[in-house]
Amino acid sequence: MSLFWIPVLLLLGCLVPLVAQRLGRNICTGMTMLAPAVALAKIVSLAPQVLAGKTVTEYFQWMPSAGLTLSLRVDGLALLFALLILGIGLLIIFYARYYLSANEAVGRFYAYLILFMTAMLSIVLANNLLQLWMAWEITSISSFLLISFWSFKSESRKGARMALTITGAGGLALLAGMLLIGDIVGSYDLSKVLSSGDTIRDHALYPVVLTLVLLGAFTKSAQFPFHFWLPHAMAAPTPVSAYLHSATMVKAGIFLLALLYPVLAGTELWFFVVSMTGLMTFLIGAYIALFKHDLKGLLAYSTISHLGLITLLLGMNTQLSAIAALFHIMNHAVFKASLFMAAGIIDHEAGTRDMRKLSGLWQFMPHTATLAMVSAASMAGIPLFNGFLSKEMFFAETLEQVTLGSLSWMIPVLATVGGVLSVAYSLRFIHDVFFNKEPDDLPKTPHEPPRYMKVPVELLVVLCLMVGMFPDFMVGDILAISSTSLLPNQPLPDYSLSIWHGLNLPLLMSVVAILGGLLVYAYRQRLYRFQSQFSETDAKLVFERGIQGVVAQASRLNNWLSNGSLQRYVGVLLLLVIVVTAIPLMQLNSAAGRVPHQSVNGIEITLAVLLCISAVVTAVLHKRRMVALITVSVVGLVVSVAFARFAAPDLALTQLAVEIVTVILLMLALFFLPQKTPAESSPVRIVRDLAIAALLGGIVATINYAMITRPLDSISDFFLANSKTGGGGTNVVNVILVDFRGFDTLGEITVLGIAALGIFKLLTRIRLAMPSANDKGIAWSEDAHPPVLVMISQSLLPLALLVSAFIFIRGHNLPGGGFIAGLVTSVALIQQYIAHGVDWIKPRIKVNYQNLIAWGVLMAVLTGIGSWVFDRPFLTSWFDYFDIPWIGEIELASAMIFDLGVYLTVVGATLLILANLGKLTTEHRPTVRDE
Amino acid sequence: MELLYSLCVGVMTFSGVFLCLRGRTFPVVVGLIMLGYAVNLFLFSSGRLSLTGAAILKKAENYPDPLPQALVLTAIVIGFAMIAFIVILSMRARADLGNDYVDGKEPPGTPRGGDVHRSKSK
């Protein structure tokens, strides 16, 4: 079985509970546990190889062209984490069966949980930095879903949002860090990255990389000052807290630190930043935990504190401290998961988690109490329990520190202070809840939970004891092999996993911690009174206020930028264009290039003057809209003459036809729009707009002049050389359209079709009043269809259609083609509409223009696909010459079918637009049912 | 010739930009048409101005650059589609909103909520 089955199977496992939830909770739970159980079996089956020192790696070429490879690896570190994630995950699923009540969405809950498990497992198994980051982000998102599972509670939503914001922001920093690492190493492959430690540490960007990666790790692992999201994530159902805050989520940050330990650690910067952050978090978490009245709140801050402890261990510059960190990761996962579960049981059976209300539960639930006591003793670091061993190692390592120079003695002292606080809050957890006094104010009478709800806790507690008493037997191998991941290419230092190391300083520190803890707890009331003098700030409120502030600022900026005025947007854009274009133009010494100028004759000057006058008149008289329409069409006509003059017959024909269609369109539109624009622009605005327009006009003219007076280096020689031999046509423009750049044309006719359909949609059910007179009050002529026009246009129709057919057929070799032929046909048909009116046309032309567009595009696509049949690339054209009696030699080319598609689309689109617009003036207005 | 050509393109740009900066739909449409002409001529001239010949093989001695011609040809057609869309959009806007303003201000006498943009952002 390939390693890749692990994430794939788990992903599929997300769907299982959704399907199985209707089969009842027991079956649903059982089936949900299947996928993680199989994954766990696979991991366990790999364990012997890994324990023997082998790293199992698998590659899967995903997108080799983009250099993207999926790969998974299992080394000691990954094995350790995978076992924790899957093992504790299975227990959590089992526990949640009893925790969630029957009317809750168990299927959804399990689906989120498995998704989260998949993501977490993908982090630890990833052998590629980007892949790791992707999984990292999925843990942020799926933990958001889990924390906000009770989304009807405001605090759940806020807590989830806070967790997502903080860890998500950290994730972005991490991505930046990973990209930098990838850039420095030249690969995202973890095997390569891990062997390039020196390259990275010696690189100038190392501090930046370290900061970014640490930001990612610290936000995820709730390190000071990013710790505040974790307590608010306690709004989640307790199984989620037990999972997220023991073996997963927050451990992802620790995992990252451990994973990149061989690459990033070993510098002064690392030791200082990581150890100081860890120490701060360790102390602050432990201190606040003491004052939390909520059971889960206490556990949340103790989690922060223990994460700080692990971070501190990873930040110390001894090899043994790294091993101690790994050992504590294991121990903390085990005892913290069981404590959270115990807290969940207490909450479930006593109805509250408030330690001011809870007391004396021992008499009601001695079994649960015993379990909780063992775990709490482990958390406090009492001998014979697993927490003691790693804490002892921790104390021993703090004594070795030299990071702070002559102040280094502070580290063991502060560590002992943290130890005192841990003992105190662990004591409080047990004593306040189970002893203290008779319970009086409980919402319900407590009792032992269902038998099987305790099973996961029991298993974990047994582990606490076993590891605590027989450490070497239980975890010696895996600890050794996972330590080699952190300390590669060197023999592991000597260490001994045993309870008794003789009378030494660490033992003394433990004793001080225990006695101090007892003392602190005994005088806790005084401490509470002292603490109550501080005004407590709710991180949630501060955070929400910050978020609201950002949102308010953003919407203010948005409203300021986007006030709905097109003039403003266009103005800003154009000013930007002026800035961007003017600067390089100023650096150009002379506008005129070396190419000799061509001579000008009188006609050309006359036409140019006509064009300029019309353009200026359009701008000046734009308020009289009809006049503006006439002058702008004059400009269009001169433009088409210009195309003809400058050796572009195809363009001239196209421009001419489009010009006609545009003018008809605008006249129809003007019928419904106001005939005049009232004078409303202020003089300032007019001057400003004139200035912008003149500047841009000047710039464009200069660029154009500079461009056409410089020599041309064109790729067109290729088209000219291959047009006949490759495309079978002598009209190079047409061959480019239907052959060389056929794919572009296909896209363009698709756009044309979409625009026409969009227009059709806009016109359906439009409610516009029809004016009965023009703006001067003169009524429209009664004679809508003068006989002369009717006669002439009807007799012109066959001729026009013949011309368009001629233009179409010769288009491949002489000026013409599908676009022009389509436009000519459209003009001919529109003329019929104008002359005869819609009522006359409707029974005579029964073509559905929408279908015409569809057929046109389809035909073009099929022509393209047709070349696949002959094993050629899309849109490869074919042509041959045939000798037909009487007519002579003719050429047939597949490009002609493509051109026919273009023709049909153009006709369909143009007529769909204009005919429907025209129909607005009649009773055949477009509706959804019509056509 | 080159100077004259560039001058014409510049004047058309001037007129088009000025019209695009007006506050009503119709002048903006006319402005866009004008700008379209200018842009097409500009693109077309990137193949340089050729006074003789045509891009037809064997029919002429010198061929003008066919590539800008092909690009401009489709640009003309697409430009038409775009203009048509904007024209109809402005008609629809007039029908649904009761005015043809594009400057974001509510003209006096318009019922509240007539401006779709504003009412959405609330």
Side-chain angles (χ1 to χ4, degrees):
Chain A
M1 194 170 95
S2 161
L3 264 183
F4 285 98
W5 276 109
I6 296 177
V8 172
L9 204 66
L10 279 173
L11 261 187
L12 291 176
C14 292
L15 305 175
V16 170
L18 295 175
V19 180
Q21 60 180 339
R22 64 197 63 173
L23 303 174
R25 281 198 288 170
N26 288 334
I27 297 178
C28 180
T29 309
M31 288 178 70
T32 306
M33 288 170 79
L34 266 179
V38 174
L40 183 62
K42 171 70 185 165
I43 292 285
V44 169
S45 75
L46 290 173
Q49 288 183 59
V50 176
L51 289 179
K54 189 170 174 281
T55 300
V56 184
T57 344
E58 273 188 35
Y59 289 88
F60 173 76
Q61 294 295 330
W62 177 34
M63 276 197 258
S65 53
L68 290 177
T69 307
L70 291 176
S71 64
L72 297 179
R73 66 187 255 135
V74 186
D75 60 357
L77 188 66
L79 178 70
L80 168 67
F81 271 89
L83 288 176
L84 284 177
I85 291 164
L86 288 167
I88 296 187
L90 279 168
L91 296 179
I92 296 284
I93 295 173
F94 188 79
Y95 174 82
R97 149 71 186 83
Y98 296 95
Y99 184 84
L100 292 177
S101 63
N103 52 12
E104 282 182 286
V106 181
R108 191 161 59 92
F109 179 82
Y110 281 149
Y112 291 164
L113 200 68
I114 303 281
L115 178 67
F116 177 79
M117 195 187 283
T118 317
M120 203 56 217
L121 208 58
S122 307
I123 290 183
V124 301
L125 296 183
N127 189 29
N128 181 300
L129 285 183
L130 295 178
Q131 199 184 326
L132 188 153
W133 179 80
M134 194 72 204
W136 181 280
E137 290 299 285
I138 300 174
T139 59
S140 292
I141 293 165
S142 51
S143 67
F144 171 83
L145 294 172
L146 282 170
I147 296 169
S148 64
F149 179 70
W150 285 328
S151 55
F152 53 87
K153 291 185 188 169
S154 159
E155 54 170 345
S156 294
R157 296 195 301 270
K158 285 187 180 137
R161 196 159 61 198
M162 196 191 281
L164 181 67
T165 313
I166 301 296
T167 56
L172 287 181
L174 179 64
L175 176 64
M178 299 238 164
L179 292 176
L180 279 179
I181 293 181
D183 200 42
I184 293 170
V185 178
S187 166
Y188 293 104
D189 191 279
L190 206 51
S191 321
K192 291 207 184 79
V193 171
L194 288 182
S195 56
S196 329
D198 290 331
T199 322
I200 295 175
R201 279 187 293 263
D202 294 339
H203 199 273
L205 282 174
Y206 169 75
V208 183
V209 173
L210 184 66
T211 312
L212 290 169
V213 171
L214 288 183
L215 269 177
F218 287 171
T219 48
K220 200 79 162 180
S221 287
Q223 294 298 301
F224 180 82
F226 308 110
H227 63 287
F228 56 88
W229 69 264
L230 195 145
H232 292 283
M234 290 298 142
T238 302
V240 173
S241 312
Y243 196 39
L244 259 57
H245 306 314
S246 64
T248 57
M249 185 72 173
V250 293
K251 288 281 166 65
I254 301 288
F255 171 78
L256 187 74
L257 291 181
L259 181 75
L260 296 179
Y261 189 85
V263 184
L264 295 178
T267 60
E268 286 294 316
L269 189 63
W270 165 281
F271 291 129
F272 187 76
V273 175
V274 177
S275 64
M276 285 304 117
T277 310
L279 187 61
M280 287 283 281
T281 315
F282 175 51
L283 288 173
I284 290 175
Y287 181 73
I288 300 180
L290 193 57
F291 299 104
K292 285 288 150 187
H293 300 303
D294 179 10
L295 271 183
K296 277 176 79 178
L298 185 151
L299 291 178
Y301 277 99
S302 88
T303 303
I304 293 177
S305 167
H306 280 270
L307 291 168
L309 190 156
I310 300 171
T311 308
L312 172 56
L313 277 170
L314 286 171
M316 294 202 236
N317 51 3
T318 56
Q319 296 176 326
L320 275 176
S321 62
I323 300 171
L326 287 174
F327 193 26
H328 200 67
I329 288 171
M330 280 186 243
N331 294 335
H332 175 252
V334 172
F335 70 67
K336 196 47 71 65
S338 61
L339 277 172
F340 267 113
M341 288 192 207
I345 291 175
I346 294 163
D347 184 17
H348 210 250
E349 307 308 334
T352 179
R353 302 193 311 240
D354 193 333
M355 277 184 281
R356 285 165 299 192
K357 291 184 187 157
L358 291 165
S359 56
L361 289 189
W362 169 262
Q363 49 189 310
F364 301 104
M365 37 170 72
H367 192 160
T368 310
T370 315
L371 296 175
M373 275 189 261
V374 175
S375 317
S378 178
M379 175 161 78
I382 307 292
L384 294 185
F385 304 105
N386 60 355
F388 169 73
L389 298 169
S390 42
K391 193 166 269 188
E392 199 78 338
M393 286 169 87
F394 163 62
F395 284 152
E397 288 317 304
T398 55
L399 292 169
E400 306 289 324
Q401 286 316 296
V402 288
T403 313
L404 296 185
S406 61
L407 290 179
S408 295
W409 59 270
M410 282 187 178
I411 295 177
V413 171
L414 289 173
T416 316
V417 171
V420 169
L421 292 169
S422 313
V423 172
Y425 66 67
S426 305
L427 202 56
R428 181 170 181 217
F429 184 92
I430 296 305
H431 190 258
D432 271 18
V433 174
F434 295 110
F435 305 101
N436 211 4
K437 55 183 193 288
E438 289 294 304
D440 45 7
D441 191 21
L442 286 179
K444 52 184 180 182
T445 315
H447 55 83
E448 283 285 350
R451 177 69 198 88
Y452 291 104
M453 195 171 180
K454 284 180 292 192
V455 169
V457 193
E458 284 164 357
L459 278 170
L460 291 170
V461 163
V462 167
L463 264 180
C464 282
L465 277 169
M466 295 289 284
V467 174
M469 288 188 278
F470 313 105
D472 204 31
F473 170 72
M474 293 296 293
V475 294
D477 288 342
I478 189 156
L479 185 60
I481 202 69
S482 54
S483 303
T484 54
S485 299
L486 268 70
L487 310 165
N489 311 322
Q490 48 187 311
L492 283 186
D494 283 330
Y495 63 94
S496 94
L497 290 176
S498 57
I499 307 170
W500 183 251
H501 288 108
L503 284 172
N504 53 12
L505 213 47
L507 189 67
L508 181 69
M509 289 162 80
S510 281
V511 173
V512 170
I514 292 168
L515 292 179
L518 282 168
L519 212 63
V520 168
Y521 183 68
Y523 290 98
R524 63 188 182 279
Q525 296 303 342
R526 287 192 183 183
L527 264 176
Y528 294 167
R529 273 200 297 280
F530 172 73
Q531 184 64 19
S532 64
Q533 296 167 7
F534 294 95
S535 60
E536 205 172 326
T537 50
D538 189 344
K540 192 165 62 193
L541 292 180
V542 178
F543 181 78
E544 282 294 315
R545 209 177 300 139
I547 294 287
Q548 300 292 348
V550 171
V551 169
Q553 289 298 330
S555 57
R556 194 176 307 159
L557 181 70
N558 191 43
N559 283 342
W560 177 73
L561 279 176
S562 128
N563 63 349
S565 165
L566 184 71
Q567 285 165 294
R568 173 181 230 172
Y569 304 156
V570 174
V572 170
L573 272 177
L574 291 177
L575 282 176
L576 205 67
V577 169
I578 292 176
V579 171
V580 173
T581 48
I583 294 170
L585 280 182
M586 283 182 216
Q587 287 156 359
L588 194 69
N589 289 328
S590 155
R594 286 178 285 114
V595 173
H597 291 200
Q598 300 175 72
S599 60
V600 185
N601 64 27
I603 301 173
E604 286 155 0
I605 295 179
T606 315
L607 281 170
V609 170
L610 180 63
L611 182 138
C612 291
I613 290 176
S614 304
V616 172
V617 166
T618 312
V620 174
L621 295 183
H622 76 272
K623 292 197 185 85
R624 293 163 66 185
R625 296 181 169 184
M626 196 63 202
V627 176
L629 178 53
I630 293 169
T631 48
V632 83
S633 66
V634 171
V635 176
L637 282 176
V638 178
V639 169
S640 46
V641 173
F643 284 138
R645 178 73 190 97
F646 297 116
D650 292 272
L651 288 188
L653 283 170
T654 315
Q655 180 67 52
L656 201 60
V658 163
E659 197 52 42
I660 296 166
V661 184
T662 310
V663 170
I664 295 172
L665 174 85
L666 284 185
M667 282 171 68
L668 271 168
L670 206 49
F671 182 61
F672 294 100
L673 290 172
Q675 310 286 309
K676 282 188 173 166
T677 310
E680 54 195 359
S681 299
S682 63
V684 179
R685 163 156 274 168
I686 290 179
V687 169
R688 191 196 70 183
D689 293 351
L690 278 175
I692 294 178
L695 253 171
L696 260 172
I699 287 175
V700 169
T702 314
I703 296 177
N704 200 356
Y705 182 67
M707 175 176 75
I708 57 181
T709 51
R710 279 169 169 74
L712 170 68
D713 183 21
S714 171
I715 57 169
S716 295
D717 292 338
F718 170 81
F719 298 124
L720 290 167
N722 290 290
S723 175
K724 181 73 180 164
T725 50
T730 52
N731 181 1
V732 187
V733 176
N734 184 267
V735 174
I736 290 176
L737 283 176
V738 298
D739 193 328
F740 293 127
R741 310 291 306 164
F743 202 58
D744 287 356
T745 311
L746 180 61
E748 271 157 295
I749 59 172
T750 313
V751 172
L752 190 64
I754 292 171
L757 292 176
I759 288 170
F760 178 69
K761 191 79 193 84
L762 280 175
L763 283 176
T764 42
R765 300 213 177 135
I766 192 170
R767 294 184 309 273
L768 269 177
M770 262 206 292
S772 56
N774 76 354
D775 59 325
K776 295 198 180 78
I778 304 168
W780 300 114
S781 166
E782 285 296 312
D783 187 14
H785 310 296
V788 177
L789 183 61
V790 172
M791 291 308 293
I792 293 178
S793 62
Q794 206 171 337
S795 50
L796 269 180
L797 179 66
L799 204 61
L801 291 180
L802 198 67
V803 168
S804 87
F806 173 68
I807 288 177
F808 176 79
I809 290 169
R810 73 172 206 160
H812 214 46
N813 292 311
L814 290 166
F819 275 113
I820 302 164
L823 285 166
V824 171
T825 308
S826 308
V827 172
L829 289 174
I830 287 163
Q831 200 184 12
Q832 305 308 309
Y833 273 98
I834 295 172
H836 294 279
V838 175
D839 291 315
W840 190 87
I841 298 284
K842 214 173 155 48
R844 287 176 176 79
I845 301 182
K846 287 197 174 132
V847 180
N848 183 332
Y849 300 127
Q850 279 145 285
N851 289 355
L852 212 57
I853 297 175
W855 280 113
V857 176
L858 192 68
M859 198 177 276
V861 172
L862 287 178
T863 319
I865 291 177
S867 50
W868 286 352
V869 177
F870 303 99
D871 215 18
R872 296 287 172 84
F874 189 67
L875 274 173
T876 310
S877 72
W878 162 92
F879 62 93
D880 209 344
Y881 300 91
F882 298 91
D883 199 15
I884 294 177
W886 302 105
I887 298 175
E889 191 189 63
I890 63 156
E891 180 197 357
L892 287 178
S894 66
M896 287 180 82
I897 310 175
F898 183 83
D899 219 12
L900 187 62
V902 173
Y903 171 83
L904 290 179
T905 314
V906 171
V907 173
T910 319
L911 284 173
L912 187 69
I913 296 167
L914 284 171
N916 280 302
L917 185 55
K919 279 181 191 170
L920 286 185
T921 60
T922 69
E923 72 239 36
H924 305 286
R925 296 188 152 210
T927 59
V928 175
R929 260 173 283 111
D930 197 18
E931 294 203 335
Chain B
M1 178 59 84
E2 278 74 9
L3 201 60
L4 194 65
Y5 188 94
S6 313
L7 184 73
C8 289
V9 173
V11 170
M12 286 155 82
T13 312
F14 160 75
S15 169
V17 167
F18 179 74
L19 288 170
C20 280
L21 287 168
R22 300 300 92 210
R24 301 278 197 135
T25 51
F26 194 80
V28 172
V29 169
V30 175
L32 281 173
I33 295 177
M34 191 73 85
L35 265 183
Y37 293 148
V39 169
N40 285 342
L41 280 182
F42 182 89
L43 285 180
F44 172 70
S45 71
S46 68
R48 305 302 180 268
L49 304 180
S50 169
L51 291 171
T52 54
I56 312 290
L57 298 178
K58 293 176 192 156
K59 296 273 173 184
E61 272 130 38
N62 63 324
Y63 305 119
D65 193 343
L67 187 62
Q69 295 197 14
L71 296 181
V72 171
L73 198 153
T74 49
I76 294 173
V77 180
I78 291 283
F80 163 70
M82 184 194 71
I83 294 294
F85 193 85
I86 294 174
V87 167
I88 309 295
L89 192 65
S90 58
M91 283 176 62
R92 183 83 201 199
R94 172 133 202 260
D96 290 357
L97 308 176
N99 66 67
D100 64 342
Y101 283 70
V102 287
D103 57 357
K105 286 190 217 98
E106 302 211 0
T110 317
R112 287 294 299 164
D115 189 332
V116 172
H117 177 84
R118 283 289 166 82
S119 57
K120 258 188 186 166
S121 65
K122 267 167 203 162

